[in-house]
Amino acid sequence: QLQLVESGGGLVQPGGSLRLSCAASGFTLDHYAIGWFRQVPGKEREGVSCMRSRNGLVYYADFVKGRFTISTDNNERTMYLQMDSLKPEDTGVYFCVADFVWDGRSGRICDEAFGRFGSWGQGIQVTVSS
């Protein structure tokens, strides 16, 4: 069974840090484009950060550049999202995703089509509040 399971969410004060983890079962992450999306209250789900390790491609949405870092472990079984300098507007449900068909030909990554044929985690709540 191909599955992703997130952990590491919670409540943090503005300016604080959290690290989200996403464990893959049934496959290794290096075969696919992977990433993190979020759904914040009142907005559509949006891409936060995506990567394709085999070609060194890494994407960050403008609203997280310089604050968030995507990575994987050496075994390519777990992906991470290190979130620093968190803001209240980062509050939302975060999802990890592996896209099984992305090949880069569209020239886009981490967009609304990403993960349409893939595996999504169940989502994890991140709340940034004092």
Side-chain angles (χ1 to χ4, degrees):
Q1 187 176 0
L2 308 179
Q3 191 175 10
L4 295 171
V5 178
E6 297 112 338
S7 60
L11 173 65
V12 64
Q13 292 188 341
S17 298
L18 277 177
R19 188 175 79 158
L20 303 182
S21 299
C22 176
S25 60
F27 64 102
T28 56
L29 300 171
D30 58 333
H31 286 86
Y32 308 107
I34 61 174
W36 292 89
F37 280 63
R38 73 183 187 187
Q39 183 142 31
V40 302
K43 294 184 68 176
E44 298 280 327
R45 188 165 63 186
E46 57 189 357
V48 175
S49 179
C50 295
M51 65 181 290
R52 180 68 166 92
S53 61
R54 288 192 169 183
N55 62 5
L57 175 65
V58 182
Y59 163 88
Y60 292 100
D62 286 344
F63 51 79
V64 301
K65 277 182 182 176
R67 300 189 299 124
F68 291 11
T69 305
I70 189 172
S71 63
T72 59
D73 67 354
N74 290 335
N75 295 325
E76 297 287 348
R77 290 285 188 180
T78 304
M79 71 171 94
Y80 303 99
L81 186 67
Q82 177 67 41
M83 305 186 293
D84 300 317
S85 302
L86 282 160
K87 306 175 182 180
E89 51 264 44
D90 293 319
T91 294
V93 179
Y94 284 70
F95 301 85
C96 58
V97 56
D99 189 309
F100 295 151
V101 302
W102 187 89
D103 59 8
R105 286 185 290 180
S106 69
R108 300 190 299 171
I109 191 170
C110 231
D111 63 357
E112 64 279 0
F114 195 84
R116 188 168 295 166
F117 300 99
S119 179
W120 288 81
Q122 81 280 8
I124 193 162
Q125 179 69 41
V126 171
T127 303
V128 185
S129 175
S130 54

